[in-house]
Amino acid sequence: MNHPNPQPPNSDKEDTSAPKFEWDFLVSAVVSSPVTGGHVSDTLGVIEVNSSGTLFATGGIARKIRIYNLHSLPPLIDHATACQHCICTPAKLSSLKWKPGSAGKIMGSADYDGVVTEYDLETKMPVFERDEHSGRRVWSLDYSSMDPAVGASGSDDGTMQIWDPRHDAGKCVAKVHFGSPVCCVEFSPFGGALVAVGCADRKAYVYDVRKMVDPVAVFDGHQRTVSYARFLDDRTVVTSGTDGCLKMWDIEDQRLIRTYTGHTNQRRFVGLSVWRHQGLIGCGSESNKVFVYDKRWGEPIWVHGFEPEDGTRSEHGFVSSICWSQVVDDECTLVGGGSDGVVKIFSGKRKLLTD
């Protein structure tokens, strides 16, 4: 999917030693593509794990929302067998979110036709729809942790819109015009009033939804489009750019804490997800690899090639979507999806370190 200097606090000081490989990762399951060798029509644009860490959903070019059980998959299985629910959608999908407070029954989606839709997963029918982005591609949507009915979406039309289905059939309750495509929106998951925005103008922004006139923080450091912005904690944001690096920022001081390099990203969405319990950052790469960074070091602590298990390899393959399960503290689960439609589930455990 293509798209357009004070010292840090002690907890965030750069450790000049080599990254410590404190985690063991292994591939626990592979969901194979329905087409041998993969095809552009199988490209996954988004993966989302639910809040309980039991299910994950995928969406992308194939115009389908597929839902899987995260912990009952055999080591190798195909999509048709593994998929528990499948919803056909009218357009290619760019973003999915489990709606908070819906007991896992409502899934929000954003698509290439500029439409935000909420689906009832039991009936597989839409229960809410808004088309307020002038038909321009919606890259991202998210829901507020303060009020789960409230959503935000960012689009190629250059706006970030906040909306409420209870208010005038989902019309905007707030809108920010950036003048460049908006690639990412994320509400703070820590119960506050903040929302982060990644933009094609090479900047990321943080707004207080109670006062949207001006941003509370502007992060200006990427050389190209900011494709993702994720809250690591209540005062720290991680951004990803098509300049091939990730950056961690302090919201209060609006300063750069650290830059992460090693993966390849120049043209496409490759996914970004943070495991907040232990400060791990996952992203994809146009080199068809999964990268994991520890927030303390700028170099990756783990890299895994994403070639299919049968050995076939696409010359132009890339890892296009990444999502951590947020449930357990000392064990982790990372789900990754590729441009060939393959999904891999990685399990990680903390090592017993000895000097």
Side-chain angles (χ1 to χ4, degrees):
M1 297 170 68
N2 298 339
H3 56 77
N5 304 332
Q7 292 297 314
N10 289 338
S11 60
D12 286 323
K13 282 185 178 180
E14 182 77 51
D15 189 334
T16 56
S17 63
K20 297 181 178 67
F21 296 90
E22 298 177 351
W23 297 88
D24 279 320
F25 290 92
L26 57 85
V27 179
S28 60
V30 177
V31 183
S32 62
S33 171
V35 179
T36 303
H39 189 272
V40 67
S41 63
D42 301 317
T43 300
L44 297 174
V46 58
I47 292 175
E48 282 294 318
V49 178
N50 68 351
S51 60
S52 62
T54 56
L55 302 173
F56 70 93
T58 68
I61 304 302
R63 295 181 172 87
K64 293 180 180 178
I65 299 173
R66 294 186 175 106
I67 297 175
Y68 307 85
N69 190 310
L70 184 57
H71 298 297
S72 64
L73 295 174
L76 181 61
I77 192 171
D78 62 83
H79 281 287
T81 306
C83 182
Q84 290 193 342
H85 298 278
C86 183
I87 300 174
C88 294
T89 62
K92 301 172 184 177
L93 298 170
S94 51
S95 185
L96 294 173
K97 287 292 176 179
W98 301 85
K99 188 170 184 176
S102 70
K105 296 179 180 179
I106 304 295
M107 173 73 70
S109 71
D111 67 32
Y112 278 44
D113 288 347
V115 180
V116 172
T117 307
E118 292 180 354
Y119 289 93
D120 184 312
L121 298 180
E122 293 181 344
T123 66
K124 302 183 180 181
M125 298 296 295
V127 293
F128 170 72
E129 185 176 288
R130 73 183 307 270
D131 185 2
E132 304 295 331
H133 283 285
S134 304
R136 302 293 298 278
R137 188 175 312 183
V138 178
W139 285 117
S140 178
L141 80 118
D142 196 22
Y143 292 102
S144 168
S145 59
M146 287 200 311
D147 185 350
V150 175
S153 50
S155 168
D156 268 345
D157 68 357
T159 70
M160 185 267 288
Q161 301 183 15
I162 295 180
W163 36 268
D164 185 340
R166 301 165 299 188
H167 174 79
D168 194 19
K171 298 291 184 181
C172 276
V173 296
K175 181 188 292 188
V176 180
H177 294 268
F178 292 92
S180 297
V182 176
C183 300
C184 177
V185 294
E186 183 178 80
F187 285 99
S188 171
F190 302 99
L194 300 181
V195 60
V197 183
C199 197
D201 65 1
R202 306 178 181 183
K203 299 176 184 178
Y205 305 83
V206 175
Y207 283 85
D208 188 318
V209 298
R210 298 165 299 187
K211 186 179 180 182
M212 298 286 289
V213 177
D214 296 303
V216 298
V218 179
F219 306 134
D220 186 359
H222 283 283
Q223 300 302 307
R224 299 181 68 180
T225 294
V226 176
S227 48
Y228 298 95
R230 300 284 186 253
F231 285 92
L232 185 59
D233 54 47
D234 59 359
R235 64 169 290 165
T236 310
V237 168
V238 177
T239 58
S240 173
T242 54
D243 53 0
C245 64
L246 313 177
K247 293 181 180 290
M248 182 168 66
W249 308 85
D250 185 289
I251 297 173
E252 293 183 12
D253 297 337
Q254 301 188 49
R255 61 177 174 81
L256 176 65
I257 299 172
R258 190 158 299 120
T259 297
Y260 306 87
T261 59
H263 63 285
T264 303
N265 188 196
Q266 297 180 333
R267 299 179 59 237
R268 300 177 171 95
F269 286 95
V270 295
L272 175 69
S273 184
V274 297
W275 185 32
R276 300 181 181 96
H277 292 295
Q278 296 293 345
L280 297 186
I281 305 164
C283 71
S285 175
E286 289 168 18
S287 62
N288 211 24
K289 297 177 181 178
V290 173
F291 284 73
V292 173
Y293 297 88
D294 186 301
K295 71 175 186 178
R296 297 169 292 178
W297 298 290
E299 300 174 16
I301 62 167
W302 183 74
V303 181
H304 176 82
F306 217 77
E307 288 74 23
E309 299 300 301
D310 62 7
T312 59
R313 181 174 182 177
S314 171
E315 181 180 353
H316 305 291
F318 61 99
V319 176
S320 53
S321 48
I322 289 288
C323 191
W324 293 96
S325 172
Q326 299 289 337
V327 178
V328 186
D329 281 341
D330 292 320
E331 296 182 6
C332 58
T333 302
L334 178 65
V335 186
S339 58
D340 56 3
V342 173
V343 176
K344 289 191 176 185
I345 294 92
F346 305 97
S347 298
K349 291 185 178 181
R350 187 185 291 276
K351 292 180 179 180
L352 296 176
L353 297 181
T354 55
D355 294 327

